[in-house]
Amino acid sequence: MVDEVIRKELDELYVMSLPQQTDFITKRLLEAGVQPSISNTAFTSNTSYELGDYVLIDINPVRFPERRTPCILDARDYEPLKGLFFRNEARDTKIRGKYHKLPKITVSPVFIGNQKCSNVKVYRYILNAPKGVPVDHVFKSVVINTREAIVLSNTADNLKNRSCTRNLSEEQIKANKERDFSNTWFAYVYWRMLGLISQEDAFAYNLEKNS
């Protein structure tokens, strides 16, 4: 059972825009005693917040504040990426008949083999996934790029993990809704980073919001 105060915070976050959610969550991390690390370029201000096994990067484009977005990584994966250029190349994506601006989080410069590359999708870099190989976002959120949240996949499994319900059993539909953090990524922070709710609480919250 989620504490009443925490539940109120989650519901307030749910109706905020992504930049507003990011601002709220970073303040929450500061209150938890996290010491931020700032890396600025001419185009983006990146502030990282490391807590336990996880890191939240606040990607804040100077010229396009509406593209501000978080990116959550495992601390071990962030280590070799410290100081590099994280960027949100926002893209229009059609979801349930409507277009939404979804983050497209990339990192530069990185080496893939012996080749220096720019603007590589962060989840592809972490998994060393060549272009064209499907990567399944288990929690359906492009801002959550921890190892438990991204896996190499195939087209069939990738389609099963999407929010479509065709040919899925009731149990599979329920599991998809429970794991769907696409609109509740902040609940992942409350679960994994802040430890204010349990996995069971987070999944129950997702199921409620996605039903």
Side-chain angles (χ1 to χ4, degrees), residues 125-137:
Y125 176 77
I126 290 171
L127 293 180
N128 195 26
K131 190 174 182 179
V133 174
V135 174
D136 196 357
H137 283 78

Side-chain angles (χ1 to χ4, degrees), residues 66-122:
E66 70 279 4
R67 292 188 183 181
R68 184 181 181 187
T69 184
C71 177
I72 305 169
L73 305 174
D74 288 318
R76 60 176 176 148
D77 288 322
Y78 179 61
E79 191 64 30
L81 299 176
K82 284 182 178 178
L84 298 188
F85 178 46
F86 284 83
R87 181 180 177 186
N88 175 18
E89 300 178 11
R91 67 190 190 280
D92 286 318
T93 301
K94 195 172 185 179
I95 302 175
R96 300 183 185 94
K98 296 182 179 180
Y99 281 95
H100 300 261
K101 282 267 186 211
L102 287 185
K104 177 185 174 184
I105 302 169
T106 63
V107 61
S108 303
V110 292
F111 282 89
I112 298 179
N114 294 322
Q115 186 176 2
K116 189 176 182 179
C117 303
S118 298
N119 300 329
V120 176
K121 291 178 181 177
V122 68

Side-chain angles (χ1 to χ4, degrees), residues 38-173:
I38 301 173
S39 176
N40 291 329
T41 71
F43 305 102
T44 303
S45 174
N46 293 330
T47 307
S48 60
Y49 301 80
E50 186 169 344
L51 185 59
D53 295 328
Y54 303 94
V55 175
L56 183 146
I57 307 162
D58 178 3
I59 303 169
N60 196 356
V62 175
R63 293 178 58 192
F64 303 101
E66 70 279 4
R67 292 188 183 181
R68 184 181 181 187
T69 184
C71 177
I72 305 169
L73 305 174
D74 288 318
R76 60 176 176 148
D77 288 322
Y78 179 61
E79 191 64 30
L81 299 176
K82 284 182 178 178
L84 298 188
F85 178 46
F86 284 83
R87 181 180 177 186
N88 175 18
E89 300 178 11
R91 67 190 190 280
D92 286 318
T93 301
K94 195 172 185 179
I95 302 175
R96 300 183 185 94
K98 296 182 179 180
Y99 281 95
H100 300 261
K101 282 267 186 211
L102 287 185
K104 177 185 174 184
I105 302 169
T106 63
V107 61
S108 303
V110 292
F111 282 89
I112 298 179
N114 294 322
Q115 186 176 2
K116 189 176 182 179
C117 303
S118 298
N119 300 329
V120 176
K121 291 178 181 177
V122 68
Y123 61 84
R124 289 202 173 276
Y125 176 77
I126 290 171
L127 293 180
N128 195 26
K131 190 174 182 179
V133 174
V135 174
D136 196 357
H137 283 78
V138 177
F139 293 145
K140 308 185 195 321
S141 172
V142 292
V143 307
I144 304 174
N145 292 283
T146 56
R147 292 275 177 167
E148 67 176 344
I150 52 174
V151 293
L152 293 176
S153 183
N154 56 55
T155 302
D157 288 341
N158 191 260
L159 288 172
K160 283 182 183 179
N161 188 52
R162 294 183 181 180
S163 47
C164 58
T165 58
R166 188 180 301 171
N167 299 324
L168 296 183
S169 67
E170 288 187 11
E171 185 177 344
Q172 288 173 318
I173 293 171

